[in-house]
Each structure stands twice: as C-alpha cells, then as structure tokens.
C-alpha cells in the first residue's frame, strides 16, 4: 500500500475530526465511542487510532478548534483597534456565531451549531480532565489579557469609562461571551447578529 502524503494524511485526520464533531454534537462526548467515530467517518474501527491516540485527544483537538474560532475575532479586534469598547468586543464574537458555518485553520467549512455544542461540552471536561483544563486555562488567560490591554487603550482614548478597571472589565467581556454562547446553543438565541447590532447601538458602552 502506498504511503500517505502529508496532505492526504492531514485531510484524513480532518475527516475523522469532523466525524467526531458530528458525533459529539449529536450524542455527547461520553456517549460516543471511538467505534462510533470510525463508523461516522466510514473508516475501519482502528483507523482513528492512526491519527489520534485516544478519544481524549480528539476532545482536546475539538475544544481547541471551537474556542479558537469563537475567540479569534475578539483577539483580532483587541489587537487592531486603538479605541475598542466592551460592546464592540462582544459583538465581534457574536458576528462569528451568527452564521451557519465558519472556516477552520485550513479553510474548511465547519457548522457553527456543531462547533458550539462541542464548546459547551468542553466546559464540563475542564472540571474533570487535566489535559483539557491546562490548555483551556492558558487560552482563557491569553484572551483575557489581550482584552484587558485593549480596554486600557480604549480608556486612554475615551471609549471606555475612566473609572473602569480593564482587568475586571475583561472578565465581564469573557462572561458575556460565554453566557451568550450558551444561550445560542441551549436557550433559543436564534439571532445573535441582531444582538450584535443592539450592542453596537449603545446597549453596553
């Protein structure tokens, strides 16, 4: 059998990851087995183990993908804007979760609903799985620190109230993002784009 090229190997890995995302979104992390993932991907039962050492590694990969795609727009805005506001930062994430799909790092379309369902489940893994908790905590702190730095610039520019503490305000932004994400998945937030518009019109400074 000819050896897989690096491109073909990456494509097959992505197919298995997409199959896992569909399974996890539909049935949950703990109700899904590696055999279920293989069946969903239409590969042999052992094939997923050629790309991932365990289901936990797949969970970690999907959690990282979910939070990267959700928070990347916030980080881009925080890095590129001289006078960001709390509302603008939250709206940037809402813009991302408003569509049917987003693009992963390789430019492949990813269904937003599947992605967000995996993100919400990943929070429970943070409480029980050190392999998920460590990267999640590092990612959270990186995003929070970037938002705090952006809000300091916004305070200097007059876009953020002078009395606001940027570090606490950054946690408010993160809390809003997490809460709105949960509403999108579980509690009927069907039009996040409209909420983003409301934020930009002054619902939150």
């Amino acid at each position: 059998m000819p050896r897989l090229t690096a491109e073909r190997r990456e494509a097959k890995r992505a197919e298995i990851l997409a199959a896992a995302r569909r399974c996890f979104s539909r049935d949950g992390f703990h109700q899904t087995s590696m055999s279920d993932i293989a069946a969903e991907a239409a590969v042999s039962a052992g094939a997923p183990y050629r790309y991932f050492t365990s289901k936990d590694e797949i969970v970690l990969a999907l959690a990282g993908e979910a939070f990267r795609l959700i928070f990347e727009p916030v980080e881009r805005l925080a890095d590129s804007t001289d006078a960001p506001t709390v509302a603008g930062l939250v709206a940037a994430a809402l813009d991302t979760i408003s569509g049917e799909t987003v693009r992963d790092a390789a430019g492949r379309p990813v269904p937003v609903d599947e992605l967000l369902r995996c993100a919400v489940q990943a929070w429970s893994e943070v409480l029980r799985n050190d392999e998920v908790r460590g990267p999640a905590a590092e990612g959270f702190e990186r995003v929070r620190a970037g938002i705090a730095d952006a809000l300091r610039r916004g305070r200097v520019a007059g876009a953020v109230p002078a009395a606001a503490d940027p570090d606490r305000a950054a946690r408010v932004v993160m809390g809003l993002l997490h809460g709105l994400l949960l509403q999108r998945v579980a509690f009927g937030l069907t039009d996040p784009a409209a909420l983003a518009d409301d934020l930009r019109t002054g619902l939150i400074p």
Side-chain angles (χ1 to χ4, degrees):
M1 180 180 295
R3 295 182 64 183
L4 288 175
T5 65
E7 293 80 6
R8 179 59 185 153
R9 180 177 176 80
E10 180 57 31
K12 181 57 69 174
R13 183 182 185 279
E15 289 173 15
I16 291 170
L17 202 60
R21 190 174 55 242
R22 292 193 297 273
C23 289
F24 293 155
S25 173
R26 184 174 62 237
D27 301 319
F29 289 163
H30 299 293
Q31 297 302 314
T32 298
S33 67
M34 288 291 268
S35 295
D36 293 329
I37 294 168
E40 182 75 21
V43 298
S44 67
Y49 290 101
R50 292 199 286 270
Y51 303 90
F52 301 94
T53 59
S54 65
K55 190 174 76 171
D56 278 353
E57 186 178 347
I58 297 178
V59 168
L60 183 60
L62 284 175
E65 178 185 71
F67 290 117
R68 179 183 62 79
L69 290 172
I70 292 163
F71 289 109
E72 253 187 2
V74 182
E75 291 184 278
R76 282 198 302 269
L77 181 63
D79 289 343
S80 64
T81 304
D82 290 332
T85 64
V86 169
L89 292 165
V90 176
L94 286 172
D95 287 340
T96 300
I97 67 172
S98 295
E100 294 295 320
T101 63
V102 291
R103 296 280 173 177
D104 67 12
R108 292 177 290 258
V110 177
V112 167
D113 279 342
E114 289 180 6
L115 190 71
L116 297 186
R117 285 177 177 273
C118 288
V120 169
Q121 292 180 71
W123 288 335
S124 67
E125 291 300 294
V126 167
L127 302 179
R128 61 168 293 277
N129 188 330
D130 288 340
E131 290 186 7
V132 176
R133 183 186 302 115
E138 289 174 9
F140 178 92
E141 179 54 27
R142 186 192 69 249
V143 176
R144 187 210 62 78
I147 290 172
D149 287 343
L151 293 176
R152 287 187 186 92
R153 297 197 307 273
R155 190 171 62 177
V156 170
V160 173
D165 179 273
D167 288 302
R168 291 198 298 269
R171 288 194 173 273
V172 170
V173 172
M174 296 294 281
L176 287 169
L177 294 177
H178 288 149
L180 292 169
L181 189 158
L182 181 60
Q183 288 188 50
R184 171 74 165 79
V185 172
F187 300 126
L189 179 57
T190 57
D191 192 5
L195 185 52
D197 290 340
D198 290 338
L199 288 168
R200 291 188 175 100
T201 59
L203 181 63
I204 296 174

